[in-house]
């Protein structure tokens, strides 16, 4: 009862300062995206809309009938590794999703019947295998993908072997493919969905913690021709020594967001390489790593940037979603860093507005909540073990939160684990080498704070309510106009909660954990809730068993399960 009272008190205090619900229904068209991304029964882009909300305005499924929610159909992708981590796209009552090993499916959204299937051609990668043993089964990182993009005519994705690919939306036939990455040397790849911005489709590669050099690429949407390249490592002596800039990391491994209101595309940029140095291995601020950048999508020109963690020595990527908010007439944008802080920007001015702290344990440094300036940096020292928080997975991984414009709350998972770090020296800076300067072990903080779901104002950090769990949930959150919140656990259960207080209204066991985006869509006049299943990926798989032994033996199977309320 207290949670409900606090919830309504929060709504009353914020009712007059936000126009987010009105802005949601008056979104601008996204030219180049299927149906201009405006149909309410669809899920046309990674976050549901360019606002970044992961919210559905559908409400046929609501608090009164969600207890009747039942599986309608299931689809299995076949060969998998580390589960299914892709967030599906829905357009014209067709579901498009990408499975491990770059297998793409088009599925009838009502029946689950497969319309077409595309399996990527890895013949070029197999030629490399003949020389040095590399193929799609032996790349350093697991062969998953976080998603794809769907345009007016084409389906776009980036491949494990460094290609940008466009498929015919109706048949799955290849329209064009452009080789972009030299994966033989950089060990980099594409595993995030591209961003459609009018007549440009934008790709950001991943190399995670390898020693290499990041960039963002803009391609002609119809031909696949590369029309611009933005290098994510600033060419300036205050940022990099020339020889270190060539192998300095900075990969945009999470999806960007196109802002049609300001004609900008925003990207979060990953950590510098090598990781976890002792503060002097790569002098400079190391821009644009651990930053956000705002680019002109037509030519890749940098319009503004903000470095959340200058000279990052803790693996504190900028990796969270961009939420477009309005408060007292200001166009704001919030973004979560792995470091445990949320950065709120005036997106029209390209300036930091304020910062607030989500983490309960962060000790890597102190962030000034007005200026973002970092003091009391707590860094690793060679030969000495230090406990530094947050852990390698951050205060939250890439399982995005959901902002509900009706409640004006952001619902996000959070965890407060730490790393024991022992810095080592002598990592050889050769492109493609693993850029770790430390021995890293994940541990529970001495106060043992529980993983949690937080309902919070994304502009101020004011918490309305939170719910604790016995294990972290690495998948995404969905909220709907029906007053519901959906999420999946790491062990196979999926749940629906009352958005007002977090009370559980429905559960189902899918048999395999959730790491991807949960979505809602409409087909033949009926609302569906869709869960991709299969867990958990590199960080949970490598580091969580030391914290929770159950993660050492997680079921890896994968499928998408679509639910509806039977008529």
């Amino acid at each position: 009862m207290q949670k409900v009272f606090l919830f309504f008190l929060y709504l009353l205090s914020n009712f007059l300062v936000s126009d987010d619900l009105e802005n949601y229904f008056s979104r601008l068209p996204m030219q180049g995206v299927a149906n201009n991304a405006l149909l309410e029964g669809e899920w046309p882009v990674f976050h549901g809309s360019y606002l970044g909300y992961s919210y559905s305005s559908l409400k046929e499924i609501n608090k009164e009938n969600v207890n009747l929610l039942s599986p309608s159909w299931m689809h299995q992708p076949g060969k998998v590794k580390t589960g299914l981590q892709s967030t599906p796209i829905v357009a014209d009552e067709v579901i498009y999703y990408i499975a491990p090993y770059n297998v793409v499916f088009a599925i009838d959204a009502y029946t689950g019947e497969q319309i077409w299937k595309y399996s990527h051609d890895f013949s070029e990668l197999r030629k490399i295998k003949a020389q040095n043993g590399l193929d799609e089964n032996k790349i350093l990182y697991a062969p998953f993908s976080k998603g794809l993009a769907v345009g007016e005519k084409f389906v776009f994705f980036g491949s494990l072997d460094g290609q940008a690919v466009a498929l015919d939306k109706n048949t799955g036939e290849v329209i064009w493919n452009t080789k972009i990455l030299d994966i033989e040397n950089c060990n980099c790849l594409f595993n995030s969905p591209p961003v459609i911005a009018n007549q440009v489709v934008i790709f950001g590669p991943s190399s995670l913690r390898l020693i290499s050099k990041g960039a963002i690429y803009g391609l002609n949407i119809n031909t696949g021709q590369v029309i611009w390249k933005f290098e994510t490592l600033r060419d300036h002596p205050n940022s990099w020594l020339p020889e270190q800039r060539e192998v300095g990391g900075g990969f945009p491994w999470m999806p960007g967001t196109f802002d049609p209101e300001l004609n900008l595309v925003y990207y979060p940029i990953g950590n510098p390489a090598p990781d976890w140095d002792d503060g002097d291995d790569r002098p400079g601020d190391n821009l644009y790593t651990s930053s956000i950048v705002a680019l002109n999508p037509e030519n890749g020109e940098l319009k503004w940037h903000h470095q959340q963690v200058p000279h990052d020595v803790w693996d504190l990527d900028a990796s969270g979603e961009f939420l477009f908010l309005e408060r007292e007439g200001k166009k704001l944008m919030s973004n979560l860093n792995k470091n445990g802080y949320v950065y709120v920007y005036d997106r029209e001015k390209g300036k930091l507005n304020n910062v607030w702290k989500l983490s309960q344990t962060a000790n890597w440094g102190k962030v000034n909540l007005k200026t973002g300036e970092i003091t009391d940096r707590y860094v690793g020292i060679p030969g000495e073990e230090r406990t530094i928080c947050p852990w390698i997975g951050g205060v939250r991984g890439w399982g995005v939160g959901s902002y509900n414009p009706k409640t004006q709350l952001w619902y996000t998972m959070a965890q407060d684990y730490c790393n024991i770090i022992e810095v080592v020296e002598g990592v050889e800076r050769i492109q493609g080498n693993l850029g770790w300067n430390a021995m890293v072990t994940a541990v529970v903080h001495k106060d043992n704070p529980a993983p949690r779901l937080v309902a919070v104002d994304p502009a101020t950090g004011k918490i309305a309510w939170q719910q604790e769990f016995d294990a972290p949930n690495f998948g995404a959150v969905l909220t709907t106009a029906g007053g519901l919140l959906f999420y999946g656990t790491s062990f196979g259960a999926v749940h629906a909660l009352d958005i007002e207080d977090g009370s559980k209204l429905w559960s189902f066991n899918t048999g395999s954990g959730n790491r991807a985006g949960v979505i809602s869509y409409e087909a033949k006049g009926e609302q569906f809730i869709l869960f991709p299943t299969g867990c958990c990926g590199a960080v949970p798989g490598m580091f969580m068993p030391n914290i929770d032994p159950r993660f050492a033996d997680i079921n890896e199977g994968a499928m998408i399960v679509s639910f509806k309320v039977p008529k």
Side-chain angles (χ1 to χ4, degrees):
M1 186 66 187
Q2 184 181 15
K3 280 186 180 179
V4 175
F5 174 76
L6 291 173
F7 176 80
F8 282 109
L9 185 64
Y10 173 88
L11 290 184
L12 183 63
S13 66
N14 285 273
F15 183 74
L16 297 177
V17 299
S18 171
D19 294 314
D20 292 335
L21 187 61
E22 179 183 343
N23 293 341
Y24 177 85
F25 285 109
S26 59
R27 302 187 306 278
L28 294 182
M30 295 185 72
Q31 295 182 12
V33 177
N35 299 319
N36 291 322
L38 290 178
L39 299 185
E40 296 307 314
E42 301 191 338
W43 197 271
V45 291
F46 186 79
H47 297 107
S49 73
Y50 68 80
L51 300 171
Y53 292 175
S54 296
Y55 163 81
S56 172
S57 61
L58 299 177
K59 54 188 177 182
E60 178 190 351
I61 300 170
N62 52 55
K63 298 177 188 179
E64 285 67 42
N65 63 12
V66 69
N67 62 304
L68 302 176
L69 202 62
S70 303
S72 177
W73 56 262
M74 305 173 187
H75 184 269
Q76 295 181 333
K79 182 181 179 182
V80 296
K81 189 173 183 179
T82 67
L84 186 59
Q85 302 186 39
S86 167
T87 296
I89 299 296
V90 184
D92 299 311
E93 299 195 0
V94 176
I95 293 169
Y96 302 89
Y97 82 97
I98 183 168
Y101 301 99
N102 296 155
V103 181
V104 181
F105 294 95
I107 307 294
D108 184 295
Y110 189 81
T111 66
E113 180 181 355
Q114 185 170 299
I115 300 170
W116 56 257
K117 172 183 176 181
Y118 165 85
S119 297
H120 188 62
D121 179 4
F122 288 106
S123 57
E124 291 300 315
L125 199 59
R126 294 188 183 112
K127 290 179 184 177
I128 300 174
K129 178 185 178 182
Q131 301 169 20
N132 59 17
L134 182 67
D135 69 358
E136 73 272 21
N137 298 299
K138 294 184 180 179
I139 56 175
L140 181 59
Y141 293 103
F144 67 89
S145 178
K146 302 182 193 77
L148 41 69
V150 178
E152 296 169 342
K153 298 182 293 182
F154 307 146
V155 175
F156 304 97
F157 72 95
S159 71
L160 300 174
D161 59 353
Q163 297 183 53
V165 183
L167 306 177
D168 184 288
K169 191 167 71 169
N170 296 317
T171 66
E173 297 296 318
V174 176
I175 301 300
W176 55 255
N177 57 335
T178 303
K179 181 71 171 179
I180 295 177
L181 305 177
D182 180 11
I183 67 164
E184 185 177 3
N185 291 313
C186 73
N187 232 328
C188 52
L189 46 78
F190 290 115
N191 62 12
S192 271
V195 176
I196 296 171
N198 302 320
Q199 294 303 302
V200 181
V201 58
I202 303 165
F203 291 79
S206 173
S207 190
L208 299 183
R209 290 158 189 89
L210 292 179
I211 293 177
S212 192
K213 183 181 180 183
I216 301 171
Y217 303 87
L219 280 64
N220 181 288
I221 200 168
N222 293 309
T223 67
Q225 178 184 1
V226 177
I227 55 180
W228 57 259
K229 175 184 178 182
F230 174 77
E231 294 192 348
T232 59
L233 302 185
R234 181 189 185 213
D235 188 6
H236 193 283
N238 290 345
S239 295
W240 296 95
L241 298 177
E243 67 273 15
Q244 294 181 358
R245 180 174 176 267
E246 294 305 308
V247 289
F251 279 80
W253 59 276
M254 282 297 290
T257 295
F258 175 55
D259 180 351
E261 298 172 18
L262 301 178
N263 194 37
L264 294 174
V265 61
Y266 308 101
Y267 262 93
I269 309 299
N271 59 275
D275 234 345
W276 297 300
D277 76 16
D278 59 359
D280 61 3
D281 279 5
R282 39 177 166 74
D285 55 26
N286 300 156
L287 277 169
Y288 299 98
T289 65
S290 303
S291 304
I292 65 168
V293 297
L295 308 178
N296 181 332
E298 296 169 7
N299 57 23
E301 177 188 1
L302 179 67
K303 305 304 289 187
W304 63 269
H305 74 276
H306 176 253
Q307 190 170 36
Q308 297 169 348
V309 187
H311 192 90
D312 175 11
V313 296
W314 305 276
D315 192 73
L316 300 177
D317 312 67
S319 60
E321 62 269 28
F322 297 101
L323 300 179
F324 294 179
L325 312 167
E326 186 167 329
R327 295 291 185 274
E328 298 177 344
K330 278 188 178 181
K331 287 183 181 293
L332 301 179
M333 178 176 75
S334 71
N335 177 256
L336 170 66
N337 188 290
K338 282 171 57 179
N339 67 11
Y341 290 84
V342 175
Y343 296 77
V344 184
Y345 300 91
D346 183 325
R347 79 179 204 270
E348 285 186 305
K349 296 180 179 179
K351 300 290 185 182
L352 186 67
N353 189 76
N354 63 282
V355 184
W356 58 270
K357 189 176 182 181
L358 177 62
S359 172
Q360 298 175 334
T361 61
N363 69 349
W364 62 272
K366 292 182 180 178
V367 178
N368 185 298
L369 301 186
K370 292 183 178 179
T371 67
E373 181 183 1
I374 299 168
T375 57
D376 300 334
R377 294 166 68 101
Y378 185 56
V379 303
I381 295 177
E384 177 183 323
E385 287 189 350
R386 286 193 162 186
T387 300
I388 298 179
C389 316
W391 71 318
I392 186 174
V395 72
R396 196 206 69 196
W398 70 64
V400 299
S402 175
Y403 178 70
N404 191 304
K406 295 181 71 174
T407 66
Q408 298 158 28
L409 291 172
W410 180 47
Y411 304 82
T412 184
M413 298 296 173
Q415 63 259 341
D416 294 285
Y417 302 128
C418 305
N419 292 322
I420 295 177
I421 301 292
E422 183 178 352
V423 171
V424 296
E425 295 187 305
V427 173
E428 192 174 9
R429 284 188 173 88
I430 298 176
Q431 193 174 73
N433 274 12
L434 186 61
W436 284 23
N437 265 20
M439 303 295 292
V440 183
T441 304
V443 294
V444 175
H445 187 270
K446 60 182 177 61
D447 294 335
N448 196 25
R452 63 200 193 281
L453 169 67
V454 186
V456 60
D457 185 326
T460 67
K462 182 179 179 182
I463 294 176
W465 58 264
Q466 55 186 343
Q467 182 177 123
E468 296 184 344
F469 305 106
D470 70 342
N473 303 310
F474 292 105
V477 176
L478 167 73
T479 63
T480 72
L484 300 172
L485 180 152
F486 294 91
Y487 75 94
T489 72
S490 297
F491 305 115
V494 294
H495 302 290
L497 308 183
D498 188 321
I499 205 169
E500 294 179 9
D501 59 6
S503 57
K504 189 182 297 184
L505 301 177
W506 169 86
S507 296
F508 185 88
N509 193 333
T510 65
S512 185
N514 172 248
R515 185 80 195 273
V518 186
I519 69 169
S520 184
Y521 65 89
E522 186 176 70
K524 297 188 185 304
E526 297 184 60
Q527 183 183 358
F528 292 77
I529 306 294
L530 188 147
F531 286 89
T533 70
C535 197
C536 271
V539 169
M542 293 172 62
F543 293 93
M544 272 305 298
N546 195 60
I547 292 173
D548 186 336
R550 290 177 294 176
F551 280 84
D553 191 31
I554 278 189
N555 295 332
E556 196 177 56
M559 63 181 171
I560 56 174
V561 187
S562 193
F563 296 86
K564 69 174 184 176
V565 173
K567 286 191 172 181

